[in-house]
Amino acid sequence: MSSRQINSLEFQLLAKSSLGDRLKFFRMEVKKLDPNKDYTTTAIAERVGVTPQSISAIERGESKKPSFQLIHKLTKEYGIPLEAATNEFYEEEKLFTIGHPIEVDIDFTDFEIIDDSTPNLGILVYQANSENQIRFVLNEEITHVKDIDFIKLLSRLIYELEFYQMENSIHISELFRKESPFDKSMKLFRATEEIYPYISKKQFSNVIYELTKNKNESE
């Protein structure tokens, strides 16, 4: 099984959630991390020694005072700290991991590379106004970015954009259906060149130059 750290938005939503919602979120997330293992309430109930109805009742909020032993077993099953099931834990932001870390080194040899050199990462940012006009405010390039670092940086950018768009407007249940920023960045990275073709830096620079030139001439 692999593990991941929850993000700040997830922590805030967990802080506002009931015990049942938290445990269901942990169960669904650990299922994504370990798709080869059965995380249905029936399978988990068998592993921890209770009935499936007991786990379902907790998740639905019908079991008001579940036993400490059962909650302890469930948190161990999901690879989270026991305290993450309590309300007190969320009084101050403490990001934690879900799942159980893999004990072996990750092999990145399957990552596609363009050539033997380490590629660069470019970031182009523009601002749009209400009249459907845009202006470029940042055109930055970071040199010698390894493939895995490229994916991590892209993942962080996607997360920040989604966090800004969703803040205070999403319920924890919606997170069950959302694709993680890391998964999105992996798909973008692995996309074929037919979808995201390469162009020369000279062509790109000419496009930016023409846009800037036209804006200056219109003034």
Side-chain angles (χ1 to χ4, degrees), residues 106 108 111 145-155 182 185-186 189:
I106 300 176
F108 294 108
F111 283 86
V145 180
K146 296 179 181 179
D147 290 343
I148 186 59
D149 292 327
F150 181 98
I151 294 170
K152 289 179 179 179
L153 287 167
L154 183 58
S155 176
F182 187 80
S185 64
M186 283 289 292
F189 178 82

Side-chain angles (χ1 to χ4, degrees), residues 60-76:
R60 291 196 299 262
E62 297 171 358
S63 179
K64 302 302 181 183
K65 294 182 179 181
S67 70
F68 172 83
Q69 290 82 359
L70 177 53
I71 299 301
H72 186 217
K73 289 179 180 179
L74 290 175
T75 56
K76 287 184 65 177

Side-chain angles (χ1 to χ4, degrees), residues 4 7 15-16 27 32-33 54 67 70 73 85 89 100 112 118 124 179 186 188 192 200 207 209:
R4 75 168 181 86
N7 57 49
K16 300 174 183 177
R27 179 168 67 86
K32 296 176 185 177
L33 295 169
S54 297
S67 70
L70 177 53
K73 289 179 180 179
F89 181 80
H100 304 279
E112 297 180 5
T118 305
L124 180 64
E179 184 178 32
M186 283 289 292
L188 290 171
T192 65
S200 70
V207 170
Y209 172 76

Side-chain angles (χ1 to χ4, degrees), residues 105-121:
D105 293 333
I106 300 176
D107 183 7
F108 294 108
T109 56
D110 289 336
F111 283 86
E112 297 180 5
I113 57 174
I114 305 308
D115 52 35
D116 294 333
S117 61
T118 305
N120 301 343
L121 170 65

Side-chain angles (χ1 to χ4, degrees), residues 79-200:
I80 60 170
L82 175 61
E83 296 81 7
T86 67
N87 292 332
E88 292 76 14
F89 181 80
Y90 297 92
E91 293 177 355
E92 182 179 347
E93 183 168 291
K94 299 179 287 291
L95 302 184
F96 56 94
T97 58
I98 302 173
H100 304 279
I102 299 174
E103 299 297 333
V104 296
D105 293 333
I106 300 176
D107 183 7
F108 294 108
T109 56
D110 289 336
F111 283 86
E112 297 180 5
I113 57 174
I114 305 308
D115 52 35
D116 294 333
S117 61
T118 305
N120 301 343
L121 170 65
I123 300 173
L124 180 64
V125 180
Y126 68 84
Q127 182 183 39
N129 62 20
S130 59
E131 298 177 355
N132 290 326
Q133 297 174 320
I134 65 171
R135 64 173 185 139
F136 292 99
V137 296
L138 179 67
N139 181 14
E140 193 75 27
E141 185 171 294
I142 305 172
T143 59
H144 306 300
V145 180
K146 296 179 181 179
D147 290 343
I148 186 59
D149 292 327
F150 181 98
I151 294 170
K152 289 179 179 179
L153 287 167
L154 183 58
S155 176
R156 290 176 62 184
L157 177 61
I158 292 172
Y159 163 72
E160 290 295 339
L161 291 172
E162 291 186 346
F163 182 87
Y164 179 80
Q165 292 172 332
M166 298 185 306
E167 191 174 14
N168 299 323
S169 64
I170 185 173
H171 187 268
I172 189 170
S173 61
E174 297 181 44
L175 290 176
F176 301 152
R177 301 185 294 272
K178 285 190 62 62
E179 184 178 32
S180 72
F182 187 80
D183 289 338
K184 284 185 179 181
S185 64
M186 283 289 292
K187 287 182 179 179
L188 290 171
F189 178 82
R190 288 175 169 169
T192 65
E193 292 184 27
E194 294 179 359
I195 301 175
Y196 300 108
Y198 281 92
I199 63 172
S200 70

